[in-house]
């Protein structure tokens, strides 16, 4: 069976930059950067309510001065900033395999849609669409992948994935399929999404935004917090560095139960978990930790708890890391896979701590019983193997299984 390897990921979120920063916050289990703000609206001169958001406050790396306007967006700038963490790995892959053998697959949902707010505002105020420039390519779902391919000069397949909140996970699944088909030798893959008035207002219209920090799995949960993030890996058929984790398997499904609600019995989620286990040739008991999708909505937590309990029982350690980062939409699957990578790797996590669930500790007796982590939780099996689940609108489901190289 072909092995697939993931080098140390680049990752940026409201927590900060890099693997070590994320693990420090996650393993302490006490601090969340999610806070009340209206900046996605105020920065775009739009009226909007204060929301609890996982916002990035640190300055982003400046674009090269000669970058064409079509590639300039805050979404791409966050991606550019994050890529600095693995730029030597990217250059190494290009040097090793050649630019024609390195592909790019990036997931997103917001892409650069906010860059065209000025033209929409002008048109609304003047009934004239010609008063401001309109950059169509900035809001293509392929825009992040197009930008990466342009900036690093790679010439293999390059495309975007936009399946809402599974986009980042499905970018990794697509990368694996490209490698298995021998269409390339390495793939720059991951996800990026930035806070946008469009998506925040959309989720608000569904009445799923929490006015407090999200509280997944609790009897008191009442919704999600939107966040922003980027996470990027280099995937290859051979280890590129000493710091590597193996992509053991993956599963995906689309139950199409409802436009915005998950199947109440978790059918698509169960299918994705079972596909991933079959792909990895693993028994449920061999999974030591699950980084849950865990959005904190009534329906998602009910469905996901049911699916986990049915497939894994009540002994597999489970956490949702969204109370630390917010729900980063198209980036979530990649960001949470990057967190899984960091928790698995013995160099980054030598003591084997599992991130404790950040919540009020009030279990919902209506949820199927699962093993929610606390401050005493750690890897139990000799080999560290974990799963990351992602679920999206339209019943779109994806599960990744990562493990130590053996």
């Amino acid at each position: 069976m072909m092995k697939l390897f993931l080098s140390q990921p680049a990752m940026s979120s409201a927590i900060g930059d890099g693997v070590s920063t994320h693990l420090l916050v996650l393993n302490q289990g006490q601090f969340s950067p999610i806070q009340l703000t209206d900046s996605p609206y105020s920065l775009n001169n739009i009226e909007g309510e204060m929301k609890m958001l996982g916002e990035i406050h640190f300055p982003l790396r400046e674009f090269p001065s000669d970058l064409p306007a079509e590639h300039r967006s805050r979404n791409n700038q966050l991606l550019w900033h994050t890529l600095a963490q693995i730029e030597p790995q990217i250059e190494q892959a290009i040097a090793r395999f050649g630019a024609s053998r390195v592909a790019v697959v990036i997931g997103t949902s917001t892409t650069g849609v906010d860059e065209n707010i000025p033209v929409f505002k002008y048109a609304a105020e003047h009934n004239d669409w010609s008063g401001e420039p309109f950059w169509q390519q900035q809001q293509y779902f392929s825009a992040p992948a197009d930008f990466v391919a342009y900036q690093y000069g790679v010439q293999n397949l390059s495309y975007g994935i936009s399946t809402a909140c599974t986009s980042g996970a499905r970018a990794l699944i697509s990368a694996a399929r490209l490698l298995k088909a021998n269409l390339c030798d390495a793939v720059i893959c991951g996800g990026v999404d930035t806070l946008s008035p469009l998506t925040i207002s959309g989720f608000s219209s569904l009445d799923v935004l929490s006015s407090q920090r999200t509280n997944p799995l609790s009897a008191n949960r009442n919704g999600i917090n939107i966040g922003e993030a980027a996470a990027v890996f280099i995937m290859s058929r051979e280890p590129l560095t000493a710091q590597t984790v193996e992509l053991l398997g993956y599963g995906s499904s689309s139950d199409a139960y409802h436009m915005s609600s998950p199947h109440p019995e978790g059918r698509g989620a169960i299918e994705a978990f079972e596909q991933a286990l079959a792909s990895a040739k693993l028994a449920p008991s061999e999974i030591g930790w699950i980084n849950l999708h865990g959005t904190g909505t009534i329906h998602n937590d009910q469905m996901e708890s049911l699916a986990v309990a049915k497939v894994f029982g009540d002994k597999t350690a489970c956490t949702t890391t969204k109370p630390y980062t917010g729900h980063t939409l198209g980036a979530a699957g990649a960001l949470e896979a990057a967190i899984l990578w960091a928790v698995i790797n013995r160099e980054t996590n030598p003591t084997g701590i599992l991130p404790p669930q950040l919540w009020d500790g009030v279990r919902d007796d209506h949820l199927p019983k699962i093993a929610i982590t606390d401050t005493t939780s750690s890897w139990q099996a000799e080999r560290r193997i974990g799963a990351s689940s992602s679920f999206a609108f339209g019943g779109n489901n994806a599960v990744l299984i990562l493990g130590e190289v053996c």
Side-chain angles (χ1 to χ4, degrees), residues 10-33:
M11 53 197 302
S12 301
S13 74
I15 289 175
D17 279 331
V19 167
S20 60
T21 299
H22 280 78
L23 273 188
L24 178 64
V25 172
L26 290 166
N27 288 345
Q28 287 177 344
Q30 298 175 346
F31 167 73
S32 169

Side-chain angles (χ1 to χ4, degrees), residues 65-385:
S65 59
D66 59 349
L67 184 70
E70 65 196 38
H71 293 303
R72 293 178 179 269
S73 67
R74 186 170 183 274
N75 207 54
N76 279 353
Q77 190 177 8
L78 175 57
L79 179 59
W80 174 239
H81 173 88
T82 305
L83 286 166
Q85 300 168 32
I86 60 168
E87 213 151 65
Q89 298 175 31
I90 294 173
E91 293 168 354
Q92 177 191 3
I94 294 170
R96 187 165 180 170
F97 302 119
S100 64
R101 294 293 293 176
V102 177
V104 183
V105 186
I106 304 292
T108 192
S109 68
T110 60
T111 186
V113 65
D114 288 354
E115 307 308 315
N116 285 310
I117 286 177
V119 70
F120 292 122
K121 288 182 67 178
Y122 188 92
E125 293 168 1
H126 300 89
N127 195 29
D128 177 9
W129 288 92
S130 64
E132 292 283 345
F134 177 74
W135 297 95
Q136 184 176 0
Q137 189 167 339
Q138 288 178 321
Q139 58 187 59
Y140 285 170
F141 290 127
S142 65
D146 294 340
F147 165 65
V148 173
Y150 173 86
Q151 192 59 34
Y152 294 104
V154 295
Q155 300 161 11
N156 199 273
L157 291 165
S158 173
Y159 58 93
I161 298 284
S162 191
T163 52
C165 306
T166 59
S167 301
R170 284 185 172 267
L172 269 66
I173 293 173
S174 292
R177 290 170 173 161
L178 293 178
L179 289 163
K180 287 181 177 181
N182 197 29
L183 293 171
C184 57
D185 295 314
V187 188
I188 303 167
C189 54
V192 59
D193 253 347
T194 41
L195 290 170
S196 166
L198 177 67
T199 47
I200 295 169
S201 298
F203 276 90
S204 181
S205 71
L206 294 173
D207 293 325
V208 295
L209 293 185
S210 174
S211 60
Q212 301 172 326
R213 188 187 71 211
T214 186
N215 196 14
L217 307 174
S218 167
N220 300 316
R221 70 193 186 279
N222 65 352
I224 70 176
N225 308 136
I226 304 297
E228 56 186 350
V232 188
F233 297 85
I234 298 179
M235 188 186 298
S236 57
R237 288 187 295 268
E238 56 187 80
L240 297 180
T241 65
Q243 296 286 340
T244 191
V245 164
E246 195 173 341
L247 176 63
L248 298 173
Y250 49 84
S252 61
S253 66
S254 186
D255 56 64
Y257 168 75
H258 186 271
M259 184 177 291
S260 61
S261 296
H263 194 289
E265 298 174 5
R267 291 180 183 174
I270 290 168
E271 183 180 351
F273 275 122
E274 290 178 341
Q275 274 189 25
L277 289 166
S279 170
K281 295 182 170 54
L282 292 171
S285 60
E286 293 178 270
I287 303 300
W289 181 53
I290 303 173
N291 192 354
L292 301 170
H293 187 60
T295 61
T297 65
I298 297 296
H299 295 303
N300 178 89
D301 291 5
Q302 173 71 35
M303 172 278 295
E304 189 168 16
S305 295
L306 191 155
V308 168
K310 181 173 177 59
V311 177
F312 298 94
D314 64 357
K315 298 293 189 288
T316 303
C318 299
T319 318
T320 168
T321 53
K322 285 185 173 67
Y324 299 94
T325 64
H327 187 354
T328 60
L329 307 180
L335 177 66
E336 288 155 24
I339 290 170
L340 176 58
W341 189 104
V343 173
I344 286 172
N345 187 273
R346 290 181 188 267
E347 291 293 323
T348 55
N349 186 24
T351 59
I353 295 172
L354 293 177
Q357 181 66 35
L358 186 61
W359 64 324
D360 63 6
V362 181
R363 283 183 177 263
D364 185 345
D365 293 335
H366 295 96
L367 296 182
K369 184 182 178 183
I370 59 175
I372 302 170
T373 56
D374 57 27
T375 55
T376 67
S377 301
S378 61
W379 289 105
Q380 298 299 305
E382 183 177 344
R383 187 184 181 194
R384 298 178 183 180
I385 301 174

